Amino acid sequence: MSKIALLNTRLANQIAAGEVVERPASVVKELLENALDAGASRVEIEVETGGTRLIRVRDNGAGMDAEDLPLSLARHATSKIRSLEDLEQVASLGFRGEALASISSVSRLGITSNADAEGASGLRAECEGNGMEVSVKPAPHPQGTSVEVRDLFFNTPARRKFLRTEKTEFSHLEEVVKRQALSRYDVAFHLRHNGRAVHQLAACDSDTARERRVAAVCGPAFINESLYIETDIGELKLWGWVGLPTFSRSQADLQHFFVNGRVIRDRLVSHAVRQAYRDVLYHGRHPAFVLYLELDPALVDVNVHPTKHEVRFRDGRKVHDFIFRSLHRALADVRPADQLPPTGELAQLSAQPALEQEPTQDSLAWGRPAAAPAGGFGSSVAAGAVREQVAGLRELYSRPAMEEVAEEAVPPLGYALAQLHGIYILSQNTEGLVLVDMHAAHERITYERMKSAHAGEGVRSQPLLVPQTVAVSQREADCAEAAAGLFAELGLGVQRAGEESLVLREVPVSLRDADVEQLLRDVLSDLLEYGTSDRIESHIDELLSTMACHGSVRANRRLTVPEMNALLRDMEATERSGQCNHGRPTWTQLSLEELDKLFLRGR
Ligand code: ADP
Ligand code: MG
């Protein structure tokens, strides 16, 4: 008897399910993708017990007829691609033809579908036995498809043990629904858990409706404390919302990135974003963003991961550079004038009561006025919706022109009134009271000036007294050789000294006391992984930042009113002046309205 035997179909599918179906959330992801691929404009998701007992996804898409319905449950059966060429520029979310077969092998699955808009009836298919035979019988259904997945992992107890509590499973599942909802504004999404409506997101037909959806999914504070950006170069387009540095998170949990409408988690992308926030984010905090990258499908390979969470870009370096530059520019250009409270529709949005499902917001409420008065400090920060005005980045929201004319006379940060305890500047602007942490603000101004001076001079290098030999791998040595030009620009004189060794002859003057060998190794590993590195700049910036900190006005120094006003004007003109070098905010606004609330004064 031969030792090798063909697996029965169910077992083969169960093995495939190991890659795709990890938990209820993965089932929902696959079913939602199918509904969207079928052209649905409305998707209803009903879940019981965190999705382990029941997941039902109902759509109004194209549906399936008597011929296709049983085939949909077969492994390697798909309507989405026919050839390798199709695969190379696939536009649908699914294409592996595995999801339904895998899910049906580890659950009790039934599909009811109707492909005929006029015809009254529909069909229901169920899957049985180890050969996974499909039975089909008539069942009423309007045009579209309902897929019901009951008792996930009922026949695979080992996998069932990996499931967590109902609450945890549901929160993963909800996250999947939210992400899909952010990927398709034109589709309505409804989510119910244990009979209770959790999300009811109508299809969006305007920019405001889209913002409303982002607010419902990411919390209203996010949309009010983010920049809208939209930029393109050649075939690359990037748009979406990036959180202001002061709206940072303790976890990387509000980061949504989409490539051609597909939800993606990608190291290259996260690195580019992190690098863009480097100079403005408080240490250890994570930025928040909802971003959409669009490019020719032929320039990105989506077939590199079973759940298609990862992609591979044909020109990763270009994509990295594009994302970094777009965000870096947008963040640098945030000015006090942009951070004044929103008016009109957006103001209403922020004034809406927190939605039931709003994630807990932990945007930082820094500063010494620690206790936020009701609707006070916290919401004044929340009011900092920023208006993007960079060339090439379209302005989405505009403030009424009349108001602009009326306010023109008073500069955004107003005129200084007094100094408080030698720490804060109090200033009056059109909105009300502005509080400035004078040390933090001055530090940023000094730092930005030092950076421009440094950039203007170019990097000055000095030769090492004794050239330093650095042992590296062959791959690293090749990389260093290829990047000789880049190293020269950064002021590092590096030469190859052998198969696996480099010799360091020159270093930037400002880095003469740093651990240059370690820096070189880090740069090489960045270059190998992302095709680019900002370590040297980052290190130089750190040194400049420290110098700026020591060179800035200390707390407890008396400033005259003209000195204070000069500082306010400098802030208005300085890049990134909303945060000090360490990412803390430099100023905040208390509007008259908020002050009125403190005194229960109605107007
Ligand atoms: P894939 O999505 O990779 O093609 P699936 O196993 O998820 O593989 O689905 C198999 C096929 O079943 C799809 O290609 C599609 O033709 C059909 N199908 C699945 N779900 C739906 C749906 N909700 N509406 C219409 N057709 C569907
Ligand atoms: Mg699919």
Side-chain angles (χ1 to χ4, degrees):
M1 217 181 94
S2 66
K3 281 190 261 177
I4 302 177
L6 281 175
L7 301 173
N8 73 49
T9 312
R10 180 170 292 268
L11 186 52
N13 285 340
Q14 285 170 336
I15 292 168
E19 285 192 323
V20 194
V21 192
E22 191 196 339
R23 56 188 354 154
S26 10
V27 172
V28 169
K29 172 177 182 286
E30 294 295 336
L31 300 184
L32 284 180
E33 289 190 348
N34 281 346
L36 296 176
D37 281 344
S41 62
R42 182 187 167 85
V43 189
E44 287 167 33
I45 307 118
E46 203 181 320
V47 176
E48 282 172 23
T49 331
T52 49
R53 182 171 306 157
L54 169 75
I55 294 168
R56 183 187 291 123
V57 174
R58 188 184 175 94
D59 69 58
N60 64 352
M64 286 176 275
D65 61 19
E67 220 176 304
D68 282 338
L69 186 56
L71 273 177
S72 70
L73 288 163
R75 181 124 171 259
H76 305 310
T78 179
S79 57
K80 296 167 194 176
I81 58 167
R82 290 278 144 102
S83 65
L84 184 64
E85 263 162 44
D86 292 347
L87 176 62
E88 282 168 0
Q89 40 197 312
V90 65
S92 56
L93 296 167
F95 53 81
R96 290 174 173 254
E98 269 184 350
L100 291 181
S102 303
I103 297 167
S104 67
S105 72
V106 292
S107 68
R108 300 184 221 273
L109 180 138
I111 308 182
T112 316
S113 192
N114 185 354
D116 187 350
E118 267 91 63
S121 167
L123 293 165
R124 180 172 173 86
E126 274 164 31
C127 197
E128 298 138 17
N130 280 339
M132 307 226 11
E133 297 77 16
V134 181
S135 70
V136 177
K137 54 178 196 255
H141 196 279
Q143 185 182 356
T145 305
S146 296
V147 182
E148 248 173 52
V149 176
R150 290 183 186 275
D151 307 324
L152 185 64
F153 301 142
F154 79 98
N155 55 356
T156 43
R159 307 212 60 192
R160 202 167 54 227
K161 287 202 191 99
F162 282 92
L163 291 178
R164 313 292 287 274
T165 62
E166 169 173 348
K167 193 163 163 259
T168 305
E169 291 304 334
F170 182 74
S171 79
H172 284 284
L173 189 155
E174 189 191 356
E175 196 58 27
V176 165
V177 175
K178 284 178 172 181
R179 279 176 193 263
Q180 295 290 354
L182 288 177
S183 82
R184 288 292 299 273
Y185 292 95
D186 55 331
V187 175
F189 290 85
H190 288 222
L191 172 63
R192 294 177 75 78
H193 187 209
N194 295 335
R196 197 175 61 92
V198 178
H199 284 288
Q200 287 183 294
L201 304 167
C204 309
D205 53 6
S206 66
D207 287 348
T208 319
R210 267 187 282 278
E211 277 167 19
R212 222 176 271 283
R213 177 172 292 192
V214 176
V217 169
C218 305
F222 170 70
I223 199 92
N224 284 322
E225 279 191 77
S226 59
L227 297 164
Y228 177 80
I229 68 159
E230 188 174 315
T231 175
D232 58 280
I233 45 158
E235 71 276 30
L236 296 177
K237 178 173 182 194
L238 184 72
W239 64 278
W241 295 265
V242 288
L244 285 173
T246 37
F247 183 78
S248 63
R249 318 263 305 168
S250 58
Q251 286 172 5
D253 59 350
L254 213 166
Q255 305 191 336
H256 301 282
F257 201 91
F258 303 84
V259 175
N260 289 344
R262 206 182 282 280
V263 178
I264 291 302
R265 256 176 266 134
D266 186 86
R267 289 165 61 79
L268 182 100
V269 170
S270 348
H271 184 265
V273 176
R274 229 181 312 128
Q275 190 171 316
Y277 274 90
R278 187 196 67 198
D279 214 12
V280 287
L281 207 60
Y282 189 71
H283 181 73
R285 305 283 301 180
H286 301 269
F289 54 85
V290 176
L291 283 171
Y292 303 85
L293 178 71
E294 286 163 20
L295 73 173
D296 180 348
L299 298 178
V300 48
D301 187 357
V302 293
N303 188 28
V304 292
H305 194 269
T307 61
K308 303 168 240 104
H309 270 319
E310 284 166 24
V311 290
R312 198 177 295 134
F313 297 104
R314 197 147 299 170
D315 191 347
R317 180 158 186 189
K318 190 168 170 192
V319 170
H320 184 287
D321 201 52
F322 173 58
I323 297 174
F324 165 71
R325 275 171 201 278
S326 310
L327 302 186
H328 185 71
R329 194 67 258 149
L331 292 169
D333 281 331
V334 178
R335 291 291 197 285
D338 304 322
Q339 302 194 37
L340 293 172
T343 53
E345 289 228 67
L346 262 174
Q348 281 165 23
L349 200 62
S350 62
Q352 271 175 10
L355 292 160
E356 194 184 356
Q357 287 310 315
E358 177 198 345
T360 40
Q361 293 301 332
D362 69 344
S363 71
L364 288 176
W366 291 101
R368 269 153 281 205
F377 184 79
S379 66
S380 75
V381 176
V386 172
R387 309 290 170 268
E388 191 50 51
Q389 280 160 350
V390 198
L393 304 176
R394 184 175 60 86
E395 183 173 337
L396 178 69
Y397 336 102
S398 53
R399 320 182 74 215
M402 265 181 50
E403 196 182 313
E404 229 149 58
V405 175
E407 287 173 9
E408 213 146 51
V410 184
L413 292 178
Y415 295 115
L417 301 170
Q419 204 179 2
L420 186 71
H421 284 278
I423 301 169
Y424 297 106
I425 294 171
L426 307 187
S427 167
Q428 172 177 325
N429 68 355
T430 332
E431 300 293 329
L433 179 69
V434 173
L435 283 162
V436 175
D437 179 330
M438 68 183 206
H439 172 68
H442 192 234
E443 185 181 278
R444 169 61 75 176
I445 292 166
T446 315
Y447 176 41
E448 291 296 329
R449 280 197 190 136
M450 290 172 86
K451 277 200 293 186
S452 339
H454 194 266
E457 271 172 21
V459 186
R460 280 186 299 127
S461 324
Q462 75 177 42
L464 289 175
L465 206 54
V466 185
Q468 204 172 329
T469 308
V470 183
V472 294
S473 72
Q474 191 175 345
R475 200 163 153 248
E476 286 169 326
D478 291 344
C479 172
E481 215 169 16
L486 174 79
F487 281 115
E489 251 170 64
L490 296 171
L492 274 187
V494 185
Q495 280 165 354
R496 188 155 191 165
E499 278 284 277
E500 302 190 334
S501 83
L502 298 170
V503 59
L504 198 55
R505 297 186 188 279
E506 252 180 36
V507 301
V509 178
S510 45
L511 294 185
R512 67 187 152 220
D513 299 323
D515 183 349
V516 198
E517 179 180 334
Q518 188 55 46
L519 208 53
L520 174 65
R521 287 181 190 289
D522 291 344
V523 171
L524 283 173
S525 88
D526 280 353
L527 286 178
L528 287 170
E529 181 147 14
Y530 310 111
T532 152
S533 173
D534 70 335
R535 299 242 177 209
I536 307 254
E537 291 100 313
S538 147
H539 206 86
I540 293 177
D541 283 356
E542 244 169 65
L543 293 173
L544 294 179
S545 163
T546 311
M547 280 151 67
C549 182
H550 294 302
S552 301
V553 278
R554 297 264 129 213
N556 291 322
R557 221 201 87 191
R558 292 242 155 267
L559 294 185
T560 63
V561 168
E563 278 174 331
M564 288 190 265
N565 279 326
L567 182 65
L568 296 176
R569 301 296 81 81
D570 274 348
M571 284 174 73
E572 284 157 1
T574 302
E575 291 192 340
R576 306 175 192 85
S577 67
Q579 298 82 39
C580 77
N581 306 355
H582 314 287
R584 286 187 293 267
T586 54
W587 66 279
T588 189
Q589 169 94 56
L590 273 173
S591 69
L592 282 177
E593 210 175 90
E594 287 160 335
L595 290 169
D596 287 347
K597 266 192 216 154
L598 290 178
F599 296 97
L600 309 175
R601 172 196 270 267
R603 281 189 189 228

